[in-house]
Structure formats: C-alpha cells, structure tokens
Amino acid sequence: MKAIVSAPGKLMLLGEHAVVYDYPCLVTAVSSKIKVEIEIISTGIKIEAPQVKDVSFVEESIRFFKEKFKFKEGLSIKTHSEFSSQYGFGSSSAVTVATLYGLSQLFKLNLSKREIFDFGLEITLRIQKVGSGFDIAAATFGKTLYFITGGKKIEILPIDELPLVVGYSGVKASTPKIVNQIKERLRKEKGKIFGIFNKIGKIVEEGKDSLLAKDYQRLGFLMNENHQLLKELGVSTAKLDKMCEAARKAGAYGAKLSGAGGGDCMIALVPKLKKSEIEKAIEKVGGEIIKVKNNANGVCYER
Ligand code: PMV
C-alpha cells in the first residue's frame, strides 16, 4: 500500500506580520511542490528527507496521527522537493500537509481539507511555537487566499494567475526569529506597532478588492505601501529594498518583500510586456529570478 501526494509552496502577497495578530493577509500557492511518498511497511518508521529541516515536521505529523487515529503499522516516507528550502516558500508547511494528506489517503480516513489545515497548524505550532498558519492554508487549499490568523477565515479568491516576478535575495531568513523580534518590539512600542498593523490590515482589504477587480495599478501601489510599512517594522534588508526599487524603476506596478523579511524573496507585480526587463533589473542588483507560477492547486493525490 502506497500513496504519492504533493503540496505547493507559497508566496505572501500582502499582510505579513500583521496576520500573526488577528489581521488578514493575501497568500498565493506556487507551482513548485513538495512530493511525499508514503508506504505501509511491517514495522518501524523510515524517513528519507533530503532537506534535513523536513524530518522533524514529518516525524511530528506521524506522532500526531498515531495519537489521534491509533494506528500501529510501520511506515516508510520519502520526500522530494521541487524548490530549495532556502527560498522561504514554506517547505515545512508543505511537507506537513502532504504527509497528513498521504496518511489520510493510505488509512482511508477521508479527512476534509479543513481537518488537514487544523491538524497541520497544530503540528507546526508544536515545533515552531509561532505563526498564523497562512502557509498551511496555502499548501492545503492552494489558489490565492484571503486568510485570517489561525484560519478564522479562509476564502479562495476567484482569480487567475497573477503577473508576478519573484526574486531571491540570496539570504536565508529565520521566520520564527523575526516574528519573535516583532513580539519583543510589541511589548515596548505597542501603540506604534499596532498603528502599523492597522495600516497593513487596511491595505489587505483594499488589495483584495483590487485583486478581484484585476486593478493591477492599484494593487502595485498597495504593494509599495506595504513594503514601506515593513521597512518601518524593521524587517526589510538593504538587498530587498534594492531589488524592489530596481523592479519599480524598470516599470513594475509595485514590489515588496514577501514573507517574514530579513532575506528570502521579493515579489513584483508587472505589466506582461515589461517582464523580462524587470527580471534583468532585479538580476543586475544581485537578485536571483525564480521561475514559478502562482495561484497553483493545493495538496493532491498523485497516485
Ligand atoms: O517567512 P515566511 O514566508 O514563512 O512568512 C512569514 C509570515 C509571517 O506573517 C511573518 C508569519 C506568519 O506565520 O504569518
């Protein structure tokens, strides 16, 4: 008995950090996926995960599943990632969701996507302690989502793929570390930080309307505003700022860092005709272009 399943990575479009504190965000799933192959074996647990970081998420998913559904069989699990865990595409969340979905298929539990999301969030919080769960939602449901902290709201937006360019800054960021830094600042400067979060929350609401109306000019403007607020939060880097600036100068509607900051990726919303010019401009300041589609499907059974 064997199941092969895959789950996508993600990119934050608008709303990072504020979404940890009961504000909404917009997230899109990307076409780069993590594949997980799960097989029932006689005894023991065998895990082959080339990305070392994934192992603890696979282990914790199995532990959670064993506790909840009381299975005793042995398991062999192999993971394969189409993207580097360096990019900040959410490989840990994708591997967690894929493992849960694979186990659900294999043991014929028929778990709903909502259940996969709830379990996935619990597992990742056991390991990372912090996080809104937006990445678990993207891996589970796919597409482009309007999401509120902990899955209080998960709305799939009826849109097409967005004209995005993705640039990697060459620096791997630690999301839990940066989220904890913001938590620390919140203790000292509550008014200021919540002032920024309120503005980000409004940007997300307006961004959702612009997305649905395909008003890319407006959406780009909102991305620039969001980036500025992330700079005020102190999570951008000189490299990310440079890459965003280069994209804007080369004709992007807007650009911002995507994710916790401190490195990882930036995204630019671009007029299709200017795409290659904008990619070159990002490369010129030292960014690496990552070719990836967005609005991709969520976790699915491959065979
Ligand atoms: O660094 P990433 O791509 O995993 O994004 C983190 C986004 C935060 O809002 C900072 C944290 C979260 O869990 O929502």
Side-chain angles (χ1 to χ4, degrees):
M1 285 275 282
K2 194 187 212 179
I4 302 178
V5 298
S6 66
K10 54 83 190 119
L11 282 167
M12 182 70 98
L13 294 177
L14 292 171
E16 46 273 269
H17 288 291
V19 69
V20 179
Y21 298 90
D22 273 339
Y23 290 87
C25 76
L26 295 174
V27 54
T28 191
V30 296
S31 53
S32 303
K33 293 173 168 187
I34 295 228
K35 272 198 188 131
V36 174
E37 201 177 309
I38 311 184
E39 200 173 354
I40 297 183
I41 54 172
S42 49
T43 60
I45 304 290
K46 259 174 53 188
I47 301 172
E48 261 178 65
Q51 311 218 45
V52 184
K53 217 178 128 216
D54 294 350
V55 178
S56 56
F57 288 87
V58 174
E59 283 171 346
E60 196 57 45
S61 303
I62 295 173
R63 204 171 299 133
F64 178 92
F65 225 81
K66 278 194 157 189
E67 279 164 26
K68 197 148 194 97
F69 300 105
K70 319 262 178 261
F71 72 83
K72 298 199 169 52
E73 290 86 340
L75 289 170
S76 155
I77 300 194
K78 285 184 199 150
T79 71
H80 167 77
S81 178
E82 290 175 1
F83 56 87
S84 158
S85 63
Q86 302 293 310
Y87 293 162
F89 277 3
S91 61
S92 312
S93 307
V95 88
T96 303
V97 166
T99 304
L100 288 174
Y101 194 72
L103 289 170
S104 164
Q105 293 285 333
L106 213 49
F107 290 92
K108 305 211 174 348
L109 295 169
N110 227 347
L111 295 179
S112 68
K113 288 214 163 168
R114 182 69 216 199
E115 286 171 304
I116 299 277
F117 169 80
D118 288 336
F119 297 162
L121 181 59
E122 197 175 326
I123 292 161
T124 47
L125 285 179
R126 278 186 189 179
I127 300 173
Q128 290 175 171
K129 314 287 180 225
V130 288
S132 65
F134 82 107
D135 39 5
I136 295 285
T140 307
F141 296 94
K143 298 294 166 190
T144 300
L145 307 172
Y146 172 86
F147 175 89
I148 301 181
T149 325
K152 287 191 190 79
K153 186 151 190 185
I154 303 176
E155 190 183 332
I156 299 177
L157 301 179
I159 61 159
D160 299 325
E161 193 193 348
L162 290 167
L164 281 186
V165 165
V166 183
Y168 176 54
S169 68
V171 179
K172 174 72 203 122
S174 160
T175 301
K177 192 172 140 204
I178 300 171
V179 171
N180 282 324
Q181 279 167 6
I182 298 292
K183 198 170 162 189
E184 191 52 33
R185 275 195 69 190
L186 253 173
R187 285 201 311 119
K188 296 182 193 139
E189 306 165 83
K190 200 169 172 190
K192 182 177 173 193
I193 304 295
F194 270 112
I196 294 177
F197 286 169
N198 279 331
K199 288 185 193 163
I200 293 179
K202 289 199 181 107
I203 284 175
V204 172
E205 296 298 345
E206 216 189 305
K208 180 185 173 192
D209 294 341
S210 313
L211 251 184
L212 293 172
K214 283 199 177 164
D215 186 348
Y216 294 154
Q217 204 87 43
R218 185 72 195 156
L219 186 59
F221 171 82
L222 293 166
M223 287 167 70
N224 291 340
E225 296 275 291
N226 195 163
H227 185 77
Q228 182 55 37
L229 290 165
L230 290 165
K231 270 173 85 168
E232 285 171 34
L233 268 185
V235 299
S236 191
T237 65
K239 180 77 174 277
L240 285 166
D241 291 346
K242 251 198 211 167
M243 290 163 72
C244 292
E245 202 42 51
R248 290 181 201 120
K249 279 207 182 117
Y253 295 119
K256 64 181 278 290
L257 71 85
S258 174
D264 288 349
C265 291
M266 53 70 72
I267 51 173
L269 187 69
V270 305
K272 281 207 177 106
L273 289 175
K274 291 193 178 154
K275 189 170 183 203
S276 71
E277 239 171 277
I278 293 166
E279 288 178 345
K280 279 187 204 122
I282 293 171
E283 281 172 342
K284 216 168 162 190
V285 294
E288 178 193 334
I289 297 302
I290 304 172
K291 299 277 184 198
V292 71
K293 290 187 179 7
N294 58 77
N295 206 36
N297 288 329
V299 69
C300 69
Y301 184 62
E302 302 228 331
R303 94 187 126 79

